[in-house]
Amino acid sequence: MAPRKKRDPGASLMNALQSQSTDVATTKPNEPPKRQSTAPGIQLIEKTYNAVREIDPELIDDSAHADRLELFTIVKSSEAASVDTDVDDQDGSLEQLVDSILSHGQKVPILVRNSKKEQGRYEIIFGRRRLAAIRHIRANPRPGKDDDRNMKVRANIEVKADGQSEADFDNAVLVTQALENAARKNLSVYEKARFADLIFSTGVEKKEIARMMNMSPTNLSNLLSITRQVPDSLGDLIGAASGSGRPKWEALGSALESKVITAKGATKILMGMDPTVSSDDRLKALLDEIKRKSEKKPKNEVRELGNIAKVLRGPSGLKLTVNETKETAGFADWLDTNIENILEDSLERFHQESHGKE
């Protein structure tokens, strides 16, 4: 199988992920330094923000880089494109969130940045559902609750670190948004694998990705093995397969690696299927074909050569194993020393006998 070509989210994104922003806040003597996160996406979430502010929601715009989030599309299948991606209606209804804010207030601030287009305005980084809920409350005030019309959203304002370039800051924000989107969606095993692979391709260490995605290093390695064995182009044709667990994807990857089925052959099968067939059924069709091919594959045959040796004949060739007995003591060492001459003589004899039969 040809090496899979990695997608490049862009050199500036690479720089943003690999850069290590330094906290220049002055520390007191004997005060331990602040812990630094190795990934800017996590750094934006974990660092100490400015004091929470109350902002008019009408001053907050969507991210100017929303289109660049397409870089983080997990599986570009037609099935995935048809899924409702209205983030404001995911993870529970908007009505539930509205009721919670009216009863208990907005407990968690959203995160915004200063607008690059207009002074005094902001762009959201994460917290879209909370922002949508407060906008809903303002537009639908409770009877006799005039304060609802003027409700503000509690927000932290993220700013560049000293010495951080605008491009690095923009892309660190982009990674944060992508992580939030991935965490909010109920990603399938394959979608998680693709998302982890994309972040890994930008230079982030595996242990940091595991922390980002709240999984063990072993689980992450298993997911990355899937993306190494299954080309993205083939995965896109299959789809997210939300009902299929890791063992099925591992079975496909293993079959591709051992050439029980090729990426070209799998693609031909998928291209011949009805476009309306679900991604789970597409994956199942490939696994059924792999099973069929495996059942037709010649079985290994073992033949005993008296008490001297065993011969294993299989699809990949012939294997000779000398038995360790009192009678054969030292024979394996002798055979190891003379095997090249024996094989050359045997090959010459084979050619002579084969030529004589022609």
Side-chain angles (χ1 to χ4, degrees):
M1 183 174 66
R4 181 168 57 86
K5 185 178 180 182
K6 293 283 187 179
R7 290 169 291 170
D8 183 4
S12 57
L13 177 57
M14 174 76 80
N15 293 335
L17 283 162
Q18 292 178 325
S19 66
Q20 301 295 315
S21 299
T22 303
D23 189 340
V24 296
T26 303
T27 57
K28 298 177 182 179
N30 302 321
E31 182 181 23
K34 293 180 180 179
R35 181 174 64 86
Q36 295 296 314
S37 174
T38 58
I42 293 297
Q43 190 177 70
L44 283 176
I45 298 174
E46 292 183 337
K47 70 183 293 188
T48 302
Y49 297 119
N50 298 325
V52 177
R53 303 185 187 182
E54 292 193 346
I55 299 175
D56 185 335
E58 301 310 315
L59 296 177
I60 301 175
D61 302 317
D62 197 6
S63 170
H65 302 289
D67 58 326
R68 295 187 63 205
L69 286 172
E70 290 301 315
L71 292 169
F72 290 88
T73 296
I74 309 300
V75 181
K76 296 181 179 180
S77 63
S78 57
E79 180 185 46
S82 67
V83 174
D84 180 12
T85 56
D86 183 358
V87 298
D88 291 336
D89 289 334
Q90 294 181 6
D91 294 338
S93 70
L94 186 62
E95 289 74 15
Q96 289 176 322
L97 183 55
V98 166
D99 290 343
S100 176
I101 291 175
L102 289 175
S103 300
H104 308 291
Q106 182 193 343
K107 297 297 185 182
V108 182
I110 69 171
L111 182 63
V112 299
R113 59 173 291 176
N114 291 310
S115 173
K116 297 176 67 174
K117 297 180 180 179
E118 185 177 344
Q119 188 173 2
R121 296 191 66 83
Y122 305 91
E123 295 173 8
I124 191 164
I125 297 177
F126 64 74
R128 287 169 177 76
R129 293 184 68 249
R130 281 161 276 166
L131 177 60
I134 290 175
R135 283 175 171 166
H136 178 84
I137 293 170
R138 286 165 61 97
N140 303 275
R142 293 168 292 178
K145 299 286 186 179
D146 293 337
D147 287 347
D148 287 357
R149 297 184 183 277
N150 301 312
M151 182 176 288
K152 303 291 181 64
V153 61
R154 300 177 68 244
N156 288 308
I157 303 174
E158 183 55 44
V159 296
K160 289 191 303 178
D162 288 353
Q164 186 178 28
S165 70
E166 190 71 32
D168 282 356
F169 178 66
D170 286 349
N171 285 295
V173 167
L174 175 64
V175 173
T176 302
Q177 291 171 327
L179 286 169
E180 187 212 16
N181 289 344
R184 177 165 51 273
K185 296 174 183 176
N186 186 22
L187 299 182
S188 69
V189 166
Y190 183 56
E191 286 177 311
K192 288 179 181 178
R194 287 281 290 271
F195 185 79
D197 182 62
L198 177 56
I199 299 297
F200 181 57
S201 72
T202 65
V204 179
E205 294 182 0
K206 289 183 180 179
K207 63 180 181 181
E208 189 64 33
I209 300 172
R211 190 166 73 92
M212 287 179 180
M213 300 185 69
N214 192 29
M215 64 177 62
S216 69
T218 299
N219 192 15
L220 174 64
S221 293
N222 291 334
L223 292 182
L224 292 178
S225 293
I226 293 173
T227 60
R228 176 177 56 82
Q229 296 171 328
V230 180
D232 285 359
S233 57
L234 183 60
D236 288 341
L237 285 175
I238 296 171
S242 58
S244 301
R246 196 181 77 205
K248 291 184 178 180
W249 285 100
E250 288 178 335
L252 173 60
S254 178
L256 287 166
E257 193 166 61
S258 62
K259 301 189 185 304
V260 174
I261 192 172
T262 64
K264 184 177 180 180
T267 298
K268 184 176 180 180
I269 292 172
L270 295 172
M271 294 296 287
M273 297 178 69
D274 189 316
T276 62
V277 173
S278 73
S279 56
D280 286 296
D281 286 341
R282 286 172 172 270
L283 178 58
K284 182 178 182 299
L286 293 183
L287 295 178
D288 288 345
E289 176 65 11
I290 291 167
K291 182 179 179 181
R292 186 185 68 80
K293 285 180 174 290
S294 297
E295 289 174 348
K296 291 179 63 177
K297 194 173 182 179
K299 304 296 182 181
N300 291 332
E301 296 179 1
V302 179
R303 189 168 81 255
E304 293 279 352
L305 300 179
N307 292 323
I308 302 173
K310 295 185 184 74
V311 175
L312 173 64
R313 177 66 182 267
S316 59
L318 194 71
K319 181 180 179 180
L320 176 69
T321 303
V322 176
N323 296 329
E324 291 289 343
T325 66
K326 183 177 180 180
E327 183 181 0
T328 62
F331 179 55
D333 292 335
W334 179 88
L335 190 61
D336 184 31
T337 302
N338 296 278
I339 190 67
E340 188 173 352
N341 292 332
I342 293 174
L343 288 176
E344 287 178 352
D345 291 344
S346 297
L347 182 61
E348 183 178 352
R349 179 181 173 184
F350 163 74
H351 286 312
Q352 290 174 350
E353 292 182 359
S354 298
H355 181 71
K357 292 179 181 180
E358 292 178 355

mmCIF file of all heavy atoms in Angstrom, residues 96-135:
data_model
loop_
_atom_site.group_PDB
_atom_site.id
_atom_site.type_symbol
_atom_site.label_atom_id
_atom_site.label_comp_id
_atom_site.label_asym_id
_atom_site.label_seq_id
_atom_site.Cartn_x
_atom_site.Cartn_y
_atom_site.Cartn_z
ATOM 1 N N GLN A 96 -33.191 23.825 27.556
ATOM 2 C CA GLN A 96 -32.643 23.390 28.838
ATOM 3 C C GLN A 96 -31.561 24.341 29.327
ATOM 4 O O GLN A 96 -31.494 24.665 30.516
ATOM 5 C CB GLN A 96 -32.082 21.970 28.710
ATOM 6 C CG GLN A 96 -33.154 20.896 28.553
ATOM 7 C CD GLN A 96 -32.543 19.533 28.334
ATOM 8 O OE1 GLN A 96 -31.535 19.387 27.652
ATOM 9 N NE2 GLN A 96 -33.159 18.510 28.911
ATOM 10 N N LEU A 97 -30.726 24.787 28.412
ATOM 11 C CA LEU A 97 -29.666 25.701 28.783
ATOM 12 C C LEU A 97 -30.244 27.050 29.195
ATOM 13 O O LEU A 97 -29.791 27.676 30.161
ATOM 14 C CB LEU A 97 -28.689 25.875 27.622
ATOM 15 C CG LEU A 97 -27.467 26.759 27.881
ATOM 16 C CD1 LEU A 97 -26.698 26.282 29.097
ATOM 17 C CD2 LEU A 97 -26.561 26.782 26.653
ATOM 18 N N VAL A 98 -31.273 27.506 28.491
ATOM 19 C CA VAL A 98 -31.945 28.756 28.843
ATOM 20 C C VAL A 98 -32.511 28.668 30.257
ATOM 21 O O VAL A 98 -32.330 29.574 31.079
ATOM 22 C CB VAL A 98 -33.066 29.077 27.828
ATOM 23 C CG1 VAL A 98 -33.985 30.176 28.363
ATOM 24 C CG2 VAL A 98 -32.468 29.492 26.483
ATOM 25 N N ASP A 99 -33.207 27.568 30.553
ATOM 26 C CA ASP A 99 -33.789 27.387 31.890
ATOM 27 C C ASP A 99 -32.703 27.399 32.964
ATOM 28 O O ASP A 99 -32.889 27.960 34.049
ATOM 29 C CB ASP A 99 -34.570 26.075 31.949
ATOM 30 C CG ASP A 99 -35.850 26.124 31.127
ATOM 31 O OD1 ASP A 99 -36.290 27.238 30.796
ATOM 32 O OD2 ASP A 99 -36.396 25.048 30.820
ATOM 33 N N SER A 100 -31.570 26.751 32.676
ATOM 34 C CA SER A 100 -30.483 26.695 33.639
ATOM 35 C C SER A 100 -29.920 28.087 33.926
ATOM 36 O O SER A 100 -29.680 28.448 35.078
ATOM 37 C CB SER A 100 -29.373 25.779 33.124
ATOM 38 O OG SER A 100 -28.264 25.789 33.996
ATOM 39 N N ILE A 101 -29.734 28.882 32.867
ATOM 40 C CA ILE A 101 -29.185 30.232 33.053
ATOM 41 C C ILE A 101 -30.172 31.107 33.802
ATOM 42 O O ILE A 101 -29.797 31.894 34.679
ATOM 43 C CB ILE A 101 -28.810 30.844 31.685
ATOM 44 C CG1 ILE A 101 -27.611 30.092 31.092
ATOM 45 C CG2 ILE A 101 -28.493 32.336 31.819
ATOM 46 C CD1 ILE A 101 -27.224 30.536 29.701
ATOM 47 N N LEU A 102 -31.464 30.979 33.502
ATOM 48 C CA LEU A 102 -32.474 31.776 34.204
ATOM 49 C C LEU A 102 -32.561 31.392 35.677
ATOM 50 O O LEU A 102 -32.802 32.243 36.536
ATOM 51 C CB LEU A 102 -33.837 31.595 33.532
ATOM 52 C CG LEU A 102 -34.008 32.241 32.155
ATOM 53 C CD1 LEU A 102 -35.354 31.878 31.548
ATOM 54 C CD2 LEU A 102 -33.865 33.757 32.246
ATOM 55 N N SER A 103 -32.330 30.113 35.969
ATOM 56 C CA SER A 103 -32.447 29.648 37.356
ATOM 57 C C SER A 103 -31.176 29.865 38.166
ATOM 58 O O SER A 103 -31.223 30.230 39.343
ATOM 59 C CB SER A 103 -32.811 28.159 37.386
ATOM 60 O OG SER A 103 -34.042 27.919 36.731
ATOM 61 N N HIS A 104 -30.032 29.645 37.540
ATOM 62 C CA HIS A 104 -28.783 29.640 38.293
ATOM 63 C C HIS A 104 -27.750 30.638 37.784
ATOM 64 O O HIS A 104 -26.679 30.764 38.374
ATOM 65 C CB HIS A 104 -28.163 28.234 38.259
ATOM 66 C CG HIS A 104 -29.112 27.151 38.664
ATOM 67 N ND1 HIS A 104 -29.564 27.003 39.959
ATOM 68 C CD2 HIS A 104 -29.710 26.172 37.934
ATOM 69 C CE1 HIS A 104 -30.381 25.966 40.014
ATOM 70 N NE2 HIS A 104 -30.502 25.445 38.795
ATOM 71 N N GLY A 105 -28.066 31.325 36.691
ATOM 72 C CA GLY A 105 -27.099 32.248 36.114
ATOM 73 C C GLY A 105 -26.121 31.529 35.200
ATOM 74 O O GLY A 105 -26.094 30.295 35.124
ATOM 75 N N GLN A 106 -25.310 32.287 34.492
ATOM 76 C CA GLN A 106 -24.297 31.723 33.600
ATOM 77 C C GLN A 106 -23.066 31.375 34.429
ATOM 78 O O GLN A 106 -22.302 32.247 34.836
ATOM 79 C CB GLN A 106 -23.937 32.722 32.500
ATOM 80 C CG GLN A 106 -22.917 32.189 31.508
ATOM 81 C CD GLN A 106 -22.345 33.282 30.628
ATOM 82 O OE1 GLN A 106 -22.898 34.374 30.519
ATOM 83 N NE2 GLN A 106 -21.216 33.015 30.008
ATOM 84 N N LYS A 107 -22.869 30.100 34.664
ATOM 85 C CA LYS A 107 -21.794 29.661 35.550
ATOM 86 C C LYS A 107 -20.422 29.703 34.887
ATOM 87 O O LYS A 107 -19.415 30.032 35.516
ATOM 88 C CB LYS A 107 -22.069 28.231 36.033
ATOM 89 C CG LYS A 107 -23.333 28.092 36.874
ATOM 90 C CD LYS A 107 -23.230 28.899 38.154
ATOM 91 C CE LYS A 107 -24.438 28.673 39.048
ATOM 92 N NZ LYS A 107 -24.377 29.487 40.281
ATOM 93 N N VAL A 108 -20.360 29.346 33.598
ATOM 94 C CA VAL A 108 -19.069 29.254 32.903
ATOM 95 C C VAL A 108 -18.975 30.359 31.865
ATOM 96 O O VAL A 108 -19.826 30.457 30.969
ATOM 97 C CB VAL A 108 -18.917 27.882 32.216
ATOM 98 C CG1 VAL A 108 -17.566 27.780 31.532
ATOM 99 C CG2 VAL A 108 -19.101 26.764 33.219
ATOM 100 N N PRO A 109 -17.958 31.222 31.934
ATOM 101 C CA PRO A 109 -17.816 32.293 30.943
ATOM 102 C C PRO A 109 -17.501 31.729 29.565
ATOM 103 O O PRO A 109 -16.944 30.638 29.428
ATOM 104 C CB PRO A 109 -16.634 33.120 31.477
ATOM 105 C CG PRO A 109 -16.452 32.704 32.885
ATOM 106 C CD PRO A 109 -16.913 31.283 32.975
ATOM 107 N N ILE A 110 -17.861 32.469 28.538
ATOM 108 C CA ILE A 110 -17.435 32.121 27.192
ATOM 109 C C ILE A 110 -16.062 32.752 26.968
ATOM 110 O O ILE A 110 -15.575 33.517 27.811
ATOM 111 C CB ILE A 110 -18.446 32.601 26.129
ATOM 112 C CG1 ILE A 110 -18.443 34.140 26.029
ATOM 113 C CG2 ILE A 110 -19.835 32.071 26.427
ATOM 114 C CD1 ILE A 110 -19.266 34.669 24.855
ATOM 115 N N LEU A 111 -15.431 32.437 25.868
ATOM 116 C CA LEU A 111 -14.122 33.013 25.545
ATOM 117 C C LEU A 111 -14.219 33.755 24.218
ATOM 118 O O LEU A 111 -14.702 33.204 23.226
ATOM 119 C CB LEU A 111 -13.051 31.925 25.459
ATOM 120 C CG LEU A 111 -11.625 32.391 25.181
ATOM 121 C CD1 LEU A 111 -11.116 33.275 26.314
ATOM 122 C CD2 LEU A 111 -10.682 31.191 24.987
ATOM 123 N N VAL A 112 -13.789 35.007 24.208
ATOM 124 C CA VAL A 112 -13.814 35.820 22.998
ATOM 125 C C VAL A 112 -12.444 36.467 22.797
ATOM 126 O O VAL A 112 -11.582 36.424 23.680
ATOM 127 C CB VAL A 112 -14.890 36.930 23.079
ATOM 128 C CG1 VAL A 112 -16.279 36.340 23.244
ATOM 129 C CG2 VAL A 112 -14.584 37.914 24.206
ATOM 130 N N ARG A 113 -12.277 37.043 21.645
ATOM 131 C CA ARG A 113 -11.091 37.843 21.343
ATOM 132 C C ARG A 113 -11.555 39.158 20.761
ATOM 133 O O ARG A 113 -12.709 39.282 20.300
ATOM 134 C CB ARG A 113 -10.195 37.127 20.342
ATOM 135 C CG ARG A 113 -10.883 36.826 19.015
ATOM 136 C CD ARG A 113 -9.932 36.264 17.985
ATOM 137 N NE ARG A 113 -8.980 37.269 17.547
ATOM 138 C CZ ARG A 113 -7.980 37.034 16.698
ATOM 139 N NH1 ARG A 113 -7.811 35.814 16.219
ATOM 140 N NH2 ARG A 113 -7.166 37.983 16.337
ATOM 141 N N ASN A 114 -10.704 40.149 20.763
ATOM 142 C CA ASN A 114 -11.050 41.429 20.147
ATOM 143 C C ASN A 114 -11.202 41.251 18.653
ATOM 144 O O ASN A 114 -10.432 40.523 18.013
ATOM 145 C CB ASN A 114 -9.964 42.469 20.446
ATOM 146 C CG ASN A 114 -9.930 42.860 21.907
ATOM 147 O OD1 ASN A 114 -10.946 43.189 22.491
ATOM 148 N ND2 ASN A 114 -8.747 42.812 22.510
ATOM 149 N N SER A 115 -12.196 41.915 18.088
ATOM 150 C CA SER A 115 -12.440 41.818 16.655
ATOM 151 C C SER A 115 -11.286 42.424 15.871
ATOM 152 O O SER A 115 -10.731 43.458 16.252
ATOM 153 C CB SER A 115 -13.738 42.535 16.288
ATOM 154 O OG SER A 115 -13.908 42.592 14.892
ATOM 155 N N LYS A 116 -10.942 41.779 14.778
ATOM 156 C CA LYS A 116 -9.898 42.315 13.902
ATOM 157 C C LYS A 116 -10.469 43.317 12.913
ATOM 158 O O LYS A 116 -9.731 44.040 12.243
ATOM 159 C CB LYS A 116 -9.226 41.167 13.140
ATOM 160 C CG LYS A 116 -8.514 40.166 14.040
ATOM 161 C CD LYS A 116 -7.945 39.011 13.242
ATOM 162 C CE LYS A 116 -6.816 39.472 12.327
ATOM 163 N NZ LYS A 116 -6.168 38.331 11.643
ATOM 164 N N LYS A 117 -11.806 43.359 12.834
ATOM 165 C CA LYS A 117 -12.448 44.208 11.845
ATOM 166 C C LYS A 117 -12.916 45.543 12.413
ATOM 167 O O LYS A 117 -12.885 46.564 11.720
ATOM 168 C CB LYS A 117 -13.645 43.475 11.222
ATOM 169 C CG LYS A 117 -13.267 42.215 10.452
ATOM 170 C CD LYS A 117 -14.507 41.550 9.881
ATOM 171 C CE LYS A 117 -14.159 40.280 9.102
ATOM 172 N NZ LYS A 117 -15.381 39.619 8.564
ATOM 173 N N GLU A 118 -13.380 45.524 13.647
ATOM 174 C CA GLU A 118 -14.000 46.733 14.190
ATOM 175 C C GLU A 118 -13.692 46.872 15.676
ATOM 176 O O GLU A 118 -13.947 45.961 16.452
ATOM 177 C CB GLU A 118 -15.518 46.675 13.963
ATOM 178 C CG GLU A 118 -16.251 47.932 14.378
ATOM 179 C CD GLU A 118 -17.732 47.864 14.084
ATOM 180 O OE1 GLU A 118 -18.148 46.983 13.289
ATOM 181 O OE2 GLU A 118 -18.482 48.678 14.652
ATOM 182 N N GLN A 119 -13.143 48.007 16.042
ATOM 183 C CA GLN A 119 -12.810 48.251 17.439
ATOM 184 C C GLN A 119 -14.082 48.274 18.284
ATOM 185 O O GLN A 119 -15.107 48.818 17.882
ATOM 186 C CB GLN A 119 -12.071 49.590 17.574
ATOM 187 C CG GLN A 119 -11.511 49.839 18.962
ATOM 188 C CD GLN A 119 -10.645 51.088 19.016
ATOM 189 O OE1 GLN A 119 -10.498 51.786 18.022
ATOM 190 N NE2 GLN A 119 -10.070 51.364 20.169
ATOM 191 N N GLY A 120 -14.000 47.671 19.459
ATOM 192 C CA GLY A 120 -15.151 47.634 20.358
ATOM 193 C C GLY A 120 -16.037 46.427 20.166
ATOM 194 O O GLY A 120 -16.986 46.225 20.917
ATOM 195 N N ARG A 121 -15.737 45.607 19.157
ATOM 196 C CA ARG A 121 -16.494 44.378 18.935
ATOM 197 C C ARG A 121 -15.594 43.182 19.224
ATOM 198 O O ARG A 121 -14.368 43.315 19.383
ATOM 199 C CB ARG A 121 -17.037 44.296 17.503
ATOM 200 C CG ARG A 121 -18.045 45.396 17.184
ATOM 201 C CD ARG A 121 -18.751 45.110 15.850
ATOM 202 N NE ARG A 121 -19.600 43.918 15.916
ATOM 203 C CZ ARG A 121 -20.831 43.911 16.388
ATOM 204 N NH1 ARG A 121 -21.390 45.034 16.852
ATOM 205 N NH2 ARG A 121 -21.547 42.797 16.385
ATOM 206 N N TYR A 122 -16.210 41.978 19.291
ATOM 207 C CA TYR A 122 -15.474 40.782 19.676
ATOM 208 C C TYR A 122 -15.815 39.631 18.719
ATOM 209 O O TYR A 122 -16.836 39.650 18.035
ATOM 210 C CB TYR A 122 -15.831 40.372 21.110
ATOM 211 C CG TYR A 122 -15.629 41.473 22.118
ATOM 212 C CD1 TYR A 122 -16.676 42.359 22.429
ATOM 213 C CD2 TYR A 122 -14.406 41.650 22.754
ATOM 214 C CE1 TYR A 122 -16.489 43.380 23.340
ATOM 215 C CE2 TYR A 122 -14.213 42.675 23.667
ATOM 216 C CZ TYR A 122 -15.263 43.544 23.957
ATOM 217 O OH TYR A 122 -15.081 44.556 24.851
ATOM 218 N N GLU A 123 -14.951 38.629 18.707
ATOM 219 C CA GLU A 123 -15.191 37.394 17.966
ATOM 220 C C GLU A 123 -15.176 36.241 18.963
ATOM 221 O O GLU A 123 -14.309 36.179 19.839
ATOM 222 C CB GLU A 123 -14.109 37.168 16.904
ATOM 223 C CG GLU A 123 -14.105 38.211 15.800
ATOM 224 C CD GLU A 123 -12.911 38.035 14.868
ATOM 225 O OE1 GLU A 123 -12.193 37.014 15.012
ATOM 226 O OE2 GLU A 123 -12.695 38.913 14.023
ATOM 227 N N ILE A 124 -16.122 35.346 18.833
ATOM 228 C CA ILE A 124 -16.212 34.237 19.780
ATOM 229 C C ILE A 124 -15.166 33.176 19.465
ATOM 230 O O ILE A 124 -14.873 32.896 18.295
ATOM 231 C CB ILE A 124 -17.633 33.626 19.787
ATOM 232 C CG1 ILE A 124 -17.775 32.653 20.961
ATOM 233 C CG2 ILE A 124 -17.952 32.954 18.454
ATOM 234 C CD1 ILE A 124 -19.208 32.311 21.288
ATOM 235 N N ILE A 125 -14.572 32.617 20.500
ATOM 236 C CA ILE A 125 -13.649 31.495 20.362
ATOM 237 C C ILE A 125 -14.370 30.205 20.737
ATOM 238 O O ILE A 125 -14.424 29.265 19.969
ATOM 239 C CB ILE A 125 -12.393 31.694 21.226
ATOM 240 C CG1 ILE A 125 -11.619 32.934 20.753
ATOM 241 C CG2 ILE A 125 -11.492 30.458 21.171
ATOM 242 C CD1 ILE A 125 -10.397 33.263 21.580
ATOM 243 N N PHE A 126 -14.949 30.161 21.946
ATOM 244 C CA PHE A 126 -15.836 29.052 22.272
ATOM 245 C C PHE A 126 -16.897 29.517 23.261
ATOM 246 O O PHE A 126 -16.734 30.526 23.941
ATOM 247 C CB PHE A 126 -15.084 27.811 22.778
ATOM 248 C CG PHE A 126 -14.344 27.970 24.075
ATOM 249 C CD1 PHE A 126 -15.005 28.034 25.294
ATOM 250 C CD2 PHE A 126 -12.963 28.024 24.086
ATOM 251 C CE1 PHE A 126 -14.327 28.148 26.484
ATOM 252 C CE2 PHE A 126 -12.255 28.140 25.278
ATOM 253 C CZ PHE A 126 -12.943 28.209 26.476
ATOM 254 N N GLY A 127 -18.000 28.744 23.303
ATOM 255 C CA GLY A 127 -19.140 29.093 24.135
ATOM 256 C C GLY A 127 -20.348 29.522 23.322
ATOM 257 O O GLY A 127 -21.176 30.311 23.785
ATOM 258 N N ARG A 128 -20.469 28.985 22.096
ATOM 259 C CA ARG A 128 -21.557 29.415 21.211
ATOM 260 C C ARG A 128 -22.942 29.108 21.773
ATOM 261 O O ARG A 128 -23.874 29.884 21.591
ATOM 262 C CB ARG A 128 -21.385 28.742 19.840
ATOM 263 C CG ARG A 128 -20.242 29.321 19.033
ATOM 264 C CD ARG A 128 -19.941 28.452 17.800
ATOM 265 N NE ARG A 128 -18.897 29.058 16.993
ATOM 266 C CZ ARG A 128 -17.605 29.030 17.307
ATOM 267 N NH1 ARG A 128 -17.202 28.426 18.409
ATOM 268 N NH2 ARG A 128 -16.715 29.614 16.526
ATOM 269 N N ARG A 129 -23.083 27.973 22.458
ATOM 270 C CA ARG A 129 -24.402 27.612 22.990
ATOM 271 C C ARG A 129 -24.811 28.572 24.105
ATOM 272 O O ARG A 129 -25.963 28.949 24.214
ATOM 273 C CB ARG A 129 -24.406 26.173 23.491
ATOM 274 C CG ARG A 129 -24.247 25.140 22.374
ATOM 275 C CD ARG A 129 -24.342 23.721 22.900
ATOM 276 N NE ARG A 129 -25.682 23.416 23.367
ATOM 277 C CZ ARG A 129 -26.010 23.217 24.636
ATOM 278 N NH1 ARG A 129 -25.101 23.321 25.586
ATOM 279 N NH2 ARG A 129 -27.248 22.922 24.967
ATOM 280 N N ARG A 130 -23.866 28.928 24.952
ATOM 281 C CA ARG A 130 -24.182 29.879 26.027
ATOM 282 C C ARG A 130 -24.549 31.250 25.456
ATOM 283 O O ARG A 130 -25.491 31.907 25.912
ATOM 284 C CB ARG A 130 -22.987 29.997 26.986
ATOM 285 C CG ARG A 130 -22.881 28.852 27.974
ATOM 286 C CD ARG A 130 -21.498 28.752 28.565
ATOM 287 N NE ARG A 130 -20.600 28.007 27.693
ATOM 288 C CZ ARG A 130 -19.279 27.984 27.821
ATOM 289 N NH1 ARG A 130 -18.704 28.665 28.792
ATOM 290 N NH2 ARG A 130 -18.536 27.275 27.016
ATOM 291 N N LEU A 131 -23.827 31.657 24.422
ATOM 292 C CA LEU A 131 -24.132 32.935 23.771
ATOM 293 C C LEU A 131 -25.518 32.875 23.130
ATOM 294 O O LEU A 131 -26.316 33.821 23.250
ATOM 295 C CB LEU A 131 -23.076 33.248 22.712
ATOM 296 C CG LEU A 131 -23.282 34.523 21.896
ATOM 297 C CD1 LEU A 131 -23.317 35.754 22.802
ATOM 298 C CD2 LEU A 131 -22.188 34.661 20.838
ATOM 299 N N ALA A 132 -25.835 31.759 22.462
ATOM 300 C CA ALA A 132 -27.139 31.614 21.818
ATOM 301 C C ALA A 132 -28.264 31.625 22.856
ATOM 302 O O ALA A 132 -29.339 32.207 22.625
ATOM 303 C CB ALA A 132 -27.186 30.321 21.007
ATOM 304 N N ALA A 133 -28.026 31.003 24.017
ATOM 305 C CA ALA A 133 -29.052 30.952 25.065
ATOM 306 C C ALA A 133 -29.347 32.357 25.591
ATOM 307 O O ALA A 133 -30.523 32.724 25.792
ATOM 308 C CB ALA A 133 -28.594 30.041 26.197
ATOM 309 N N ILE A 134 -28.319 33.146 25.813
ATOM 310 C CA ILE A 134 -28.536 34.495 26.335
ATOM 311 C C ILE A 134 -29.189 35.385 25.284
ATOM 312 O O ILE A 134 -30.054 36.210 25.607
ATOM 313 C CB ILE A 134 -27.199 35.082 26.830
ATOM 314 C CG1 ILE A 134 -26.782 34.318 28.097
ATOM 315 C CG2 ILE A 134 -27.313 36.580 27.112
ATOM 316 C CD1 ILE A 134 -25.441 34.686 28.654
ATOM 317 N N ARG A 135 -28.851 35.203 24.051
ATOM 318 C CA ARG A 135 -29.545 35.955 22.989
ATOM 319 C C ARG A 135 -31.024 35.577 22.951
ATOM 320 O O ARG A 135 -31.886 36.432 22.723
ATOM 321 C CB ARG A 135 -28.882 35.664 21.638
ATOM 322 C CG ARG A 135 -27.558 36.399 21.428
ATOM 323 C CD ARG A 135 -26.881 35.982 20.139
ATOM 324 N NE ARG A 135 -25.727 36.829 19.850
ATOM 325 C CZ ARG A 135 -24.803 36.531 18.945
ATOM 326 N NH1 ARG A 135 -24.896 35.402 18.242
ATOM 327 N NH2 ARG A 135 -23.795 37.363 18.738
#
